[in-house]
Amino acid sequence: MEIHHIVALMGFSLSIFSGYGMPTCSNSSMLCEVSGYWLNYKDMFNKENRNSPIGQFVQIMFFITYTFFRLIPLYFLNMRVVYFAMATTHRVHWFRQLCNVVCVINAILIIFINTYWYGLILKGLKSLLE
């Protein structure tokens, strides 16, 4: 199991304990897996076939879905996670406070990981278009 799967699973589980709007944000973040379809198709092409018209189409679709289903929504969802944590921390028991803190840390980690991957995707797209 990869690290981002562990972070996502832990964030999803703890968001249920945190309550309020955290489970909604967590469920909404599952929409980002739409880009995973194109990533799987992209991995099916070897280096020789990646520059074929179908290979280029798949890479461009991966870029588009990653941008619109993963990167942009996660910034807004993670802002909501931080807002819910700040708005409810003083009202809940210590265990739920701990869950809030872990959810915020997970949200920050996910943003850093996705931004790093987006940089790699942009490099790949640049080399594709050259």
Side-chain angles (χ1 to χ4, degrees), residues 15-51:
S15 71
I16 294 171
F17 291 113
S18 293
Y20 296 97
M22 293 286 195
T24 303
C25 290
S26 181
N27 285 331
S28 299
S29 70
M30 296 300 164
L31 184 65
C32 70
E33 294 304 320
V34 169
S35 65
Y37 296 118
W38 294 104
L39 178 63
N40 292 334
Y41 287 133
K42 184 179 162 222
D43 288 342
M44 290 172 39
F45 293 97
N46 55 20
K47 290 192 177 197
E48 295 83 31
N49 294 339
R50 257 189 206 160
N51 291 330

Side-chain angles (χ1 to χ4, degrees), residues 77-128:
L77 289 171
N78 288 342
M79 286 189 319
R80 297 298 296 173
V81 166
V82 172
Y83 168 75
F84 286 131
M86 289 174 34
T88 61
T89 298
H90 65 283
R91 297 180 180 161
V92 295
H93 191 260
W94 68 268
F95 181 71
R96 289 177 81 181
Q97 288 176 354
L98 178 67
C99 291
N100 280 342
V101 169
V102 173
C103 286
V104 168
I105 291 170
N106 280 341
I108 292 168
L109 286 175
I110 291 292
I111 284 295
F112 282 133
I113 289 170
N114 281 312
T115 304
Y116 172 74
W117 287 338
Y118 195 66
L120 296 177
I121 292 168
L122 288 176
K123 283 182 186 177
L125 188 65
K126 181 183 173 187
S127 67
L128 173 73

Side-chain angles (χ1 to χ4, degrees), residues 44-79:
M44 290 172 39
F45 293 97
N46 55 20
K47 290 192 177 197
E48 295 83 31
N49 294 339
R50 257 189 206 160
N51 291 330
S52 68
I54 295 173
Q56 290 177 346
F57 173 75
V58 167
Q59 290 184 46
I60 290 171
M61 286 305 296
F62 174 64
F63 168 73
I64 291 170
T65 57
Y66 193 92
T67 302
F68 289 107
F69 287 100
R70 186 175 291 240
L71 197 66
I72 294 172
L74 281 180
Y75 281 108
F76 292 108
L77 289 171
N78 288 342
M79 286 189 319

